[in-house]
Amino acid sequence: MAHKQLTRALGLAVLALTTGSGCITFTHHAIPANRLPNQFAAPSKTALMPINFSVLAGNHPREHLLDSGDVVAITIQGVIPQDPKELPPLIQSTQTTLARIYYPANGLNLGPGVGLPFEVQSNGNMTLPLVDPFSVRGLTLVELAEKVRAAYLQKEIVKEGNDQVNVSLLRARVNRVLVLREDIASPDFVPITKGTAVYHKRGSAEVVDLPIYESDVLHALATSGGLPGTDAHNEVWVLRKSTLEPHAIVQIQQQISGGQAPEEVLKQIPAHLEAIR
């Protein structure tokens, strides 16, 4: 009799196991999810909204506004070149870069420039032959041509009616950024996995030159491998480092020359790092 009851109990247990679905762990020590402390809860996604990726891109003006680093080609009738019968030099517009990745891939879509190249200096001025340096920061190419024309008319280097000035953008300025990513590995790196779990994955780093009006978070992400994956943190850090002022460098040198330990002087220097999260 006892043997029949044991057989019936085992049969019921096997039937319960075979008819059950999913993966269930039966234990008396399990804690319901609603009773877990808040520190074990995942961040709430109720108030989250999809990102409008267009807000990650910068504003592009209708016309290029000149600033430090821009290179323009200029011809001035009777000055560049001096002989009116001489043809101005033809300069093929090329964008050189030391970075392995550059946007756009084949360089800027600029045509060849006619004239001599002149670069906008760090203070925003431009120096041309026979006239005083003048500020060009924030000017369009048309406004620059008119300002060059007025400068040479004022010096009476050219005469009214014989004062044609041509200006073309030869090379636009770029911003060089370093993109560090934790969600994308280099193409030649193979992650260490066991089943579906990833035990080790290396990030990536790229030095990217971005054209001035495409120097934003969206283009930096697109150039370095695309948008973040599902295994990445939903945050981006933008770090800008500033340099020490000349008077601060002199002060540091005086402190070290006065006998202070260099390591103590260096500890007093602020990080000079601006972070945007």
Side-chain angles (χ1 to χ4, degrees), residues 79-108:
V79 181
I80 304 174
Q82 295 182 356
D83 188 356
K85 298 180 180 179
E86 182 183 354
L87 294 177
L90 177 65
I91 305 173
Q92 182 66 37
S93 176
T94 57
Q95 183 79 24
T96 58
T97 176
L98 298 177
R100 293 193 297 114
I101 291 183
Y102 177 74
Y103 179 84
N106 297 325
L108 296 180

Side-chain angles (χ1 to χ4, degrees), residues 172-230:
R173 62 192 185 275
V174 298
N175 284 330
R176 173 160 293 182
V177 298
L178 173 62
V179 182
L180 302 176
R181 303 187 60 143
E182 297 180 348
D183 61 327
I184 295 180
S186 57
D188 55 346
F189 177 74
V190 179
I192 301 175
T193 61
K194 184 177 181 181
T196 59
V198 179
Y199 285 87
H200 178 65
K201 185 181 71 172
R202 183 187 304 168
S204 65
E206 300 289 349
V207 179
V208 182
D209 282 348
L210 298 175
I212 183 60
Y213 295 126
E214 296 170 347
S215 181
D216 48 55
V217 174
L218 186 61
H219 285 86
L221 291 176
T223 311
S224 60
L227 297 173
T230 56

Side-chain angles (χ1 to χ4, degrees), residues 27-221:
T27 177
H28 296 289
H29 304 288
I31 301 176
N34 58 356
R35 293 177 55 189
L36 287 175
N38 292 332
Q39 58 264 30
F40 296 105
S44 175
K45 298 183 179 180
T46 304
L48 297 182
M49 298 179 60
I51 295 176
N52 182 3
F53 296 119
S54 63
V55 301
L56 300 179
N59 296 324
H60 197 304
R62 293 180 179 270
E63 297 184 67
H64 185 89
L65 302 180
L66 295 171
D67 208 333
S68 304
D70 286 330
V71 179
V72 296
I74 299 178
T75 60
I76 306 172
Q77 189 172 358
V79 181
I80 304 174
Q82 295 182 356
D83 188 356
K85 298 180 180 179
E86 182 183 354
L87 294 177
L90 177 65
I91 305 173
Q92 182 66 37
S93 176
T94 57
Q95 183 79 24
T96 58
T97 176
L98 298 177
R100 293 193 297 114
I101 291 183
Y102 177 74
Y103 179 84
N106 297 325
L108 296 180
N109 297 323
L110 299 177
V114 177
L116 290 181
F118 294 93
E119 183 175 359
V120 182
Q121 301 172 359
S122 59
N123 57 0
N125 292 345
M126 179 171 288
T127 303
L128 298 179
L130 306 177
V131 295
D132 298 330
F134 53 91
S135 177
V136 300
R137 178 169 290 161
L139 299 182
T140 64
L141 296 179
V142 175
E143 293 171 343
L144 174 60
E146 183 58 31
K147 195 165 187 177
V148 172
R149 173 180 172 274
Y152 279 86
L153 282 175
Q154 183 179 4
K155 290 286 187 177
E156 298 183 351
I157 300 174
V158 297
K159 296 182 180 180
E160 191 77 31
N162 193 24
D163 53 356
Q164 183 178 359
V165 176
N166 294 322
V167 176
S168 58
L169 183 62
L170 186 62
R171 189 184 68 195
R173 62 192 185 275
V174 298
N175 284 330
R176 173 160 293 182
V177 298
L178 173 62
V179 182
L180 302 176
R181 303 187 60 143
E182 297 180 348
D183 61 327
I184 295 180
S186 57
D188 55 346
F189 177 74
V190 179
I192 301 175
T193 61
K194 184 177 181 181
T196 59
V198 179
Y199 285 87
H200 178 65
K201 185 181 71 172
R202 183 187 304 168
S204 65
E206 300 289 349
V207 179
V208 182
D209 282 348
L210 298 175
I212 183 60
Y213 295 126
E214 296 170 347
S215 181
D216 48 55
V217 174
L218 186 61
H219 285 86
L221 291 176

